[in-house]
Amino acid sequence: MTVRLPDPHVHYRPQDPSTAISRRRLLIGTAFVAATIATTFSFGARPASAESVLAMHIEEQTSWVQNFNPFDLGGRRQSTMDFVYEPLVIFNDYDSGKPIFRLATGYKFSDDLKSITYTLRDGVKWSDGQPLTSADMKFTLELMLKNPAVDIVGVGGSVASVEAPSPTEVKITLKDVDTHFPESMADFPVVPEHIWKDVADPLAFKNEKPIGSGPMTEIRRFTPQVYEQCRNPNYWDAASLHVDCLKLPQISGNDQMLALLPEGSMDWIGSFLPEIDKTYIALDKDHNGYWQPPAETIAFQVNFKTANPALAEAFNDINFRHAFSLVMDRTAMVDIAGFGYPVVNVHASGLPPRFDAWRNKAAEGDKDVWMTYDVDKANKVLDDAGYKKGADGMRTTPKGQPIAFSIIVPNGWTDWIDAVQIATEGLRKAGFNASVATPEYEQWQKQILDGSFDAVMNSRADGPTPFRGYYQSLSTAFAGRITSAPSRYSNPELDKVFDAYRKATTDEERKKLFDQVQVIIADNFPVVPVFNGPTWYQYSTKRFTGWVTKDEPVMNPENHDNNRMRLMHLLRLKPVQ
């Protein structure tokens, strides 16, 4: 696909000068960074016989912490899942959710749908040579059941008991029918019992030298600036693996990535690159490429469980959330902050464009009026709801409490920072004392998980159907437990429909139930959708071949932690001979 770039001759409507920061900040003044990082991270072409080292950018941090604990969502390195801990099964969203079996070779529901049995791949070994068996999967499931803090896939709400009838079979008895269960296990990491049984605190454990099942388990070098993660000596699918090591440089943000690009040292990138044809493709037209198809919905989420009484009063009032949405200049966020890459989301349901076939028009129409940019209407909504303005132009809650809040966004995410700045400008026009806070990415995640934030701009991980993204981000079961459910939203009516969907046995039933989900969300407006970001994916064919491209769109190509298919992408790659 062709990514639409803003026409340089178009005059965008005036904004506060701060909204133009991204163009100056991203495109000017990065030369001084390049000299420093080039020495640390760059390497030239390798002879065919040399070790094949794949340089990846998968997360942005000021410095690394050596943490490969798959249960620590806020602290683990983003190369932990897939590369250290292989999934049981991966569902390919780009192939109608087709299962690709990895540690498991299959699964089967019982006739009454009250249990499911997984068959594990025979002969798989952990990276230390110990056999991986059903006892390890049983141990991991029971670890989650006993320790809700590490239950990152929600098995506590579904699983009644676990048995291991043979070394390759795991029988899971469910509390009730749950046909969605295999998909909910997509992010489940099987850990070795012989290592983790002696871990006193499975959430605090840093797991610095992991024993895993995936292709890249050996941490050969680890510094605050770069680490190398190399081949598992006992990988079951070694014949398919042609990369010897992953090299992961510390990159603090989009500015630093731009400074690094001229060195030509990166192979697989997942970054926001403004004016990408100029800043990346033009550097090496023979080798540099990208594909950025539309992705998940980006939305503003407020903390419904905030300890601040004034914010709790405002955030839990739908009038406040409607007004919040009305002052979002989504077009400016897309064109100015996002350089035209994202797509404005116009639906109160927040449904992503790729799930257009699931759209329920009953959740649109009048319900979408809150998705327009109308500051005057926002002020009227607030006036009518009793949010009074003081002499300083700032509003108080209907109970007279002053409202001041910050919106957190990771430091270095310049496109998102600029979008949040545009949002706070709109909020101030409505009389709200809103500001931007930019914690480091790891701290941002931890604030989401511990609830120590006011509001956040965030995305969610979608699945082969839209259900997973909605269920995990807006159900009571996941509220505050994973990074895509920061709002801690709880709606019994919505939970009831979610539960019915999980028990549905036909696509027709699921479609009708998801129609209800869209109406409930559009009516209650728990989040404020703004746009659908692109998939951040750039690559170089200088050192490796086999990249997924727009001409061969066989899978989600990005290398971020929310995409399990990145494992299959890695296995496609071969060094240039």
Side-chain angles (χ1 to χ4, degrees), residues 6-268:
D7 186 335
H9 303 293
V10 172
H11 177 70
Y12 297 105
R13 59 184 168 283
Q15 298 285 338
D16 183 286
S18 65
T19 61
I21 284 176
S22 60
R23 294 179 185 273
R24 298 192 297 272
R25 184 171 59 213
L26 290 168
L27 300 177
I28 300 175
T30 56
F32 75 97
V33 182
T36 303
I37 60 180
T39 302
T40 305
F41 303 139
S42 63
F43 45 82
R46 308 177 192 85
S49 59
E51 184 177 63
S52 60
V53 180
L54 178 75
M56 295 177 68
H57 163 249
I58 61 174
E59 62 179 317
E60 293 172 345
Q61 292 279 1
T62 301
S63 64
W64 303 125
V65 174
Q66 192 165 346
N67 180 348
F68 296 93
N69 181 341
F71 307 117
D72 184 1
L73 297 180
R76 72 187 186 193
R77 294 279 57 76
Q78 301 294 287
S79 58
T80 301
M81 288 295 294
D82 309 314
F83 305 134
V84 175
Y85 298 99
E86 184 140 16
L88 294 167
V89 56
I90 303 171
F91 296 93
N92 188 355
D93 300 352
Y94 283 40
D95 190 14
S96 303
K98 180 181 178 180
I100 300 172
F101 291 100
R102 301 305 296 169
L103 289 185
T105 59
Y107 59 79
K108 184 178 181 180
F109 278 100
S110 60
D111 291 341
D112 63 1
L113 302 177
K114 292 289 187 71
S115 69
I116 182 171
T117 298
Y118 281 84
T119 302
L120 300 186
R121 194 173 298 275
D122 194 16
V124 175
K125 293 181 180 180
W126 292 107
S127 54
D128 64 358
Q130 294 289 320
L132 188 161
T133 71
S134 59
D136 294 300
M137 182 173 169
K138 179 177 183 290
F139 168 81
T140 308
L141 282 163
E142 291 178 340
L143 183 70
M144 290 182 169
L145 294 174
K146 295 173 186 175
N147 299 273
V150 300
D151 183 8
I152 59 175
V153 295
V155 295
S158 300
V159 176
S161 63
V162 187
E163 303 171 55
S166 80
T168 59
E169 288 180 297
V170 178
K171 181 181 178 181
I172 302 169
T173 300
L174 303 173
K175 293 179 178 178
D176 206 338
V177 173
D178 185 359
T179 58
H180 180 71
F181 186 80
E183 189 179 328
S184 71
M185 289 282 280
D187 297 327
F188 177 76
V190 180
V191 299
E193 180 181 13
H194 66 281
I195 300 296
W196 286 77
K197 66 182 175 60
D198 298 321
V199 173
D201 187 339
L203 185 60
F205 180 46
K206 290 292 187 288
N207 198 27
E208 294 180 351
K209 296 292 184 180
I211 301 301
S213 57
M216 298 289 180
T217 58
E218 307 305 289
I219 310 306
R220 183 168 69 182
R221 178 166 71 110
F222 197 102
T223 74
Q225 290 79 38
V226 63
Y227 69 94
E228 293 181 358
Q229 190 169 324
C230 300
R231 292 180 72 104
N232 175 352
N234 292 294
Y235 187 47
W236 70 270
D237 197 14
S240 301
L241 179 64
H242 304 283
V243 176
D244 294 316
C245 289
L246 306 179
K247 185 175 185 178
L248 298 114
Q250 175 273 321
I251 296 171
S252 61
N254 300 330
D255 295 355
Q256 192 176 356
M257 175 56 75
L258 281 173
L260 180 61
L261 290 178
E263 301 301 318
S265 60
M266 299 302 297
D267 300 304
W268 192 358

Side-chain angles (χ1 to χ4, degrees), residues 43 204 237 276 302 355 370 487 539 543:
F43 45 82
D237 197 14
I276 191 169
V302 297
F355 294 123
W370 310 112
S487 67
Y539 60 93
R543 287 174 289 271

Side-chain angles (χ1 to χ4, degrees), residues 104 119 150 164 173 189 217 224 230 239 278 287 303 311 340 343 366 448 461 464 484 544:
T119 302
V150 300
T173 300
T217 58
C230 300
K278 296 178 182 178
H287 298 106
N303 184 354
L311 297 185
V343 177
D366 291 345
I448 285 174
S484 60
F544 291 90

